[in-house]
C-alpha cells in the first residue's frame, strides 16, 4: 500500500525588505509520488514551433549600425553593365544618317536687314495712307492749279509752267515727314523694336537699313509725282518751254530734297522715340521760321527776317523751281539740297550715337 502524500503547510508571508533577493534557483520539475506517472512538460504547438524556426538567431541578425542594401541598389551594377553592352553594340552597328537642314546657314549682312525693312514698310498701313494722301495732294492740287491757270490765261512772265507744281509738293512734304517719323517711332511705341534688335543685334545696321529703304521709296514716289504734275501743267498752261536743267531740278532735285527731309524726320524720330513728339518737332522746324518772319515788323530785325524767309524749308523747296523767294543772296539751284544734306547728316550722327548707347 502506498502512503498518501503529506499536505504542505502554508508558510507565513514575510514583509518585504530592502535587502536584495537571493538568486532564484532553477525550478525542478515536481516529483510525482511513488507509483504515479511523472507529468511531462507541455510541448508548444507546431505552429509556434515553425514560427520560432523561421526567426533568425540572435548571432545571425545584422547589427543595428549597418543597413542591408536595397534591391534597386543591388540591381544598379547589372543596369550599368547592360547599358555598357548596349553602347558597345550601337557603336559597332551601321552608321546612322544625321538630319541636314535644307535651309543654308549664312552670315547675316546688310542685305538681310534691307529685305526685312522693305517687308515692314510695304506691309504696314501707315505707308499706304501717307504716300496715298501725298499723291492725292501733289497730283490733285497740281492739276487743279493748272486748270485755273489755263482758264484765266495766266501770264508766267517768260517762265515755264513747271514752277506751278510746288504748291502740291509743299503739302505732300508734310506726309513724307509723318512717314519718316512713323518708320521708326512706331516700333518704339509698340515695343516691336525689341524683336527687331533680337533678330539683328547690330543697331547701326537696323537704322542704316531703315534709312536706305525709306529714302529709296520716297525718292521714287516723289520724283514720279513731280514729273507727272510737270507734264500735265506744261501741257495745259502756255508758257516758256522748260530747259533740261529745269526739268532735272523740278523732278529729280525735288525728289532728292523731299526724301532727304524725310530722312531728317526719321533721325528725329530715332532721337525722340515718340511719334507724336517727333512729328510736332518737324512741323515746327518747317513752319516756325516763316511764322516768325511774318511778325517781325521792327527795322532792327530786318536782317533776321530776311534770313528766315530765305532759309526756311518751304523757301528752299521753291528755289528748285526758280530764283530765291525773297531775292538777294538766298540759296538757289542745288544749294538747298546741300544744306538739307548737311542738317540730315548731323541729325543722323546723333541718331546713330543714341541708338548704340541707349537701351531699347
Amino acid at each position: 500500500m502506498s502512503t498518501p502524500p503529506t499536505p504542505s503547510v502554508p508558510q507565513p508571508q514575510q514583509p518585504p525588505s530592502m535587502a536584495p533577493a537571493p538568486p532564484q534557483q532553477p525550478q525542478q520539475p515536481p516529483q510525482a509520488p511513488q507509483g504515479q506517472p511523472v507529468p511531462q512538460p507541455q510541448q508548444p504547438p507546431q505552429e509556434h514551433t515553425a514560427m520560432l524556426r523561421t526567426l533568425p538567431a540572435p548571432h545571425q541578425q545584422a547589427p543595428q549600425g549597418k543597413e542591408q542594401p536595397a534591391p534597386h541598389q543591388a540591381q544598379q551594377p547589372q543596369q550599368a553593365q547592360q547599358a555598357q553592352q548596349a553602347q558597345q553594340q550601337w557603336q559597332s552597328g551601321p552608321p546612322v544618317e544625321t538630319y541636314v537642314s535644307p535651309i543654308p546657314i549664312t552670315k547675316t549682312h546688310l542685305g538681310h536687314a534691307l529685305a526685312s525693312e522693305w517687308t515692314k514698310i510695304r506691309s504696314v498701313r501707315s505707308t499706304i495712307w501717307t504716300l496715298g494722301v501725298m499723291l492725292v495732294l501733289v497730283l490733285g492740287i497740281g492739276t487743279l492749279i493748272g486748270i485755273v491757270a489755263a482758264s484765266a490765261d495766266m501770264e508766267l512772265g517768260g517762265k515755264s509752267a513747271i514752277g506751278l507744281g510746288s504748291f502740291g509738293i509743299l503739302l505732300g512734304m508734310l506726309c513724307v515727314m509723318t512717314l519718316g517719323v512713323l518708320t521708326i517711332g512706331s516700333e518704339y511705341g509698340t515695343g516691336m523694336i525689341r524683336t527687331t534688335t533680337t533678330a539683328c543685334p547690330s543697331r547701326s545696321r537696323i537704322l542704316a537699313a531703315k534709312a536706305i529703304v525709306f529714302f529709296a521709296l520716297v525718292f521714287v514716289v516723289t520724283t514720279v509725282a513731280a514729273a507727272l504734275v510737270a507734264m500735265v501743267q506744261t501741257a495745259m498752261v502756255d508758257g516758256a518751254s522748260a530747259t533740261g536743267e529745269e526739268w532735272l531740278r523740278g523732278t529729280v532735285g525735288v525728289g532728292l530734297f523731299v526724301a532727304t527731309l524725310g530722312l531728317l524726320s526719321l533721325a528725329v524720330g530715332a532721337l525722340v522715340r515718340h511719334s507724336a513728339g517727333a512729328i510736332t518737332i518737324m512741323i515746327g522746324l518747317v513752319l516756325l521760321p516763316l511764322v516768325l518772319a511774318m511778325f517781325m515788323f521792327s527795322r532792327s530785325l530786318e536782317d533776321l527776317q530776311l534770313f528766315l524767309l530765305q532759309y526756311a524749308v518751304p523757301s528752299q523747296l521753291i528755289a528748285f523751281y526758280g530764283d530765291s523767294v525773297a531775292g538777294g543772296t538766298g540759296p538757289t539751284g542745288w544749294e538747298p539740297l546741300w544744306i538739307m544734306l548737311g542738317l540730315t547728316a548731323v541729325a543722323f550722327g546723333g541718331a546713330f550715337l543714341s541708338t548704340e548707347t541707349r537701351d531699347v
Side-chain angles (χ1 to χ4, degrees):
M1 297 294 296
S2 62
T3 306
T6 304
S8 61
V9 180
Q11 299 292 332
Q13 296 183 357
Q14 298 293 334
S17 60
M18 300 303 296
Q24 297 181 0
Q25 298 294 332
Q27 296 181 1
Q28 298 293 332
Q31 297 180 0
Q34 296 180 1
Q36 293 185 2
V38 180
Q40 299 295 330
Q42 296 182 357
Q43 298 293 334
Q46 296 182 358
E47 296 179 358
H48 296 281
T49 306
M51 292 178 60
L52 292 175
R53 291 177 181 176
T54 56
L55 293 176
H59 66 275
Q60 295 179 355
Q61 295 182 358
Q64 296 181 357
K66 297 182 181 180
E67 298 180 356
Q68 296 293 334
H72 64 87
Q73 295 180 355
Q75 295 178 0
Q76 287 183 357
Q78 299 179 0
Q79 295 178 356
Q81 185 177 3
Q82 293 177 359
Q84 185 176 4
Q85 294 177 358
Q87 183 178 6
Q88 293 177 356
Q89 293 178 0
W90 175 79
Q91 292 178 354
S92 61
V96 181
E97 296 182 0
T98 58
Y99 173 78
V100 179
S101 175
I103 303 175
I105 301 176
T106 58
K107 186 178 181 180
T108 58
H109 49 77
L110 182 60
H112 298 105
L114 291 175
S116 174
E117 296 302 328
W118 170 244
T119 302
K120 292 179 186 178
I121 200 170
R122 68 182 175 86
S123 59
V124 295
R125 296 180 180 179
S126 59
T127 305
I128 300 174
W129 277 105
T130 52
L131 294 183
V133 173
M134 173 194 173
L135 290 175
V136 171
L137 292 175
V138 174
L139 298 177
I141 296 177
T143 304
L144 182 61
I145 291 177
I147 294 173
V148 173
S151 61
D153 295 331
M154 182 183 294
E155 294 293 336
L156 299 179
K159 295 182 180 179
S160 64
I162 294 179
L164 299 176
S166 60
F167 297 99
I169 297 294
L170 285 172
L171 295 177
M173 187 171 57
L174 300 177
C175 300
V176 173
M177 292 188 305
T178 304
L179 179 61
V181 172
L182 292 178
T183 300
I184 190 168
S186 60
E187 292 200 26
Y188 282 104
T190 59
M192 187 66 184
I193 190 65
R194 298 184 181 91
T195 305
T196 303
T197 52
T198 302
C200 180
S202 178
R203 302 181 182 181
S204 299
R205 184 187 300 172
I206 295 173
L207 186 58
K210 288 182 180 294
I212 294 173
V213 172
F214 173 80
F215 181 85
L217 177 62
V218 174
F219 170 72
V220 171
V221 174
T222 307
T223 303
V224 172
L228 291 176
V229 170
M231 289 188 293
V232 170
Q233 291 177 343
T234 54
M236 296 175 62
V237 181
D238 295 333
S241 55
T243 62
E245 178 68 17
E246 291 177 346
W247 275 100
L248 184 62
R249 286 191 283 113
T251 55
V252 178
V254 170
L256 291 173
F257 183 84
V258 174
T260 306
L261 180 63
L263 284 183
L264 179 61
S265 304
L266 193 150
V268 172
L271 289 170
V272 178
R273 297 185 176 184
H274 192 272
S275 299
I279 292 173
T280 305
I281 291 174
M282 288 305 302
I283 293 177
L285 180 64
V286 171
L287 300 179
L288 186 59
L290 288 178
V291 175
L292 292 177
M294 292 172 59
F295 291 95
M296 291 182 180
F297 304 108
S298 177
R299 289 188 177 181
S300 60
L301 299 176
E302 288 182 355
D303 294 338
L304 179 59
Q305 181 184 23
L306 181 62
F307 177 81
L308 293 177
L309 289 174
Q310 291 177 346
Y311 287 92
V313 174
S315 301
Q316 295 188 48
L317 177 63
I318 296 174
F320 277 94
Y321 295 97
D323 299 331
S324 178
V325 175
T329 59
T332 58
W334 296 92
E335 292 179 2
L337 179 60
W338 313 136
I339 296 173
M340 186 58 63
L341 284 174
L343 293 175
T344 305
V346 173
F348 255 94
F352 275 107
L353 181 61
S354 175
T355 304
E356 290 292 340
T357 55
R358 294 171 62 185
D359 194 8
V360 294

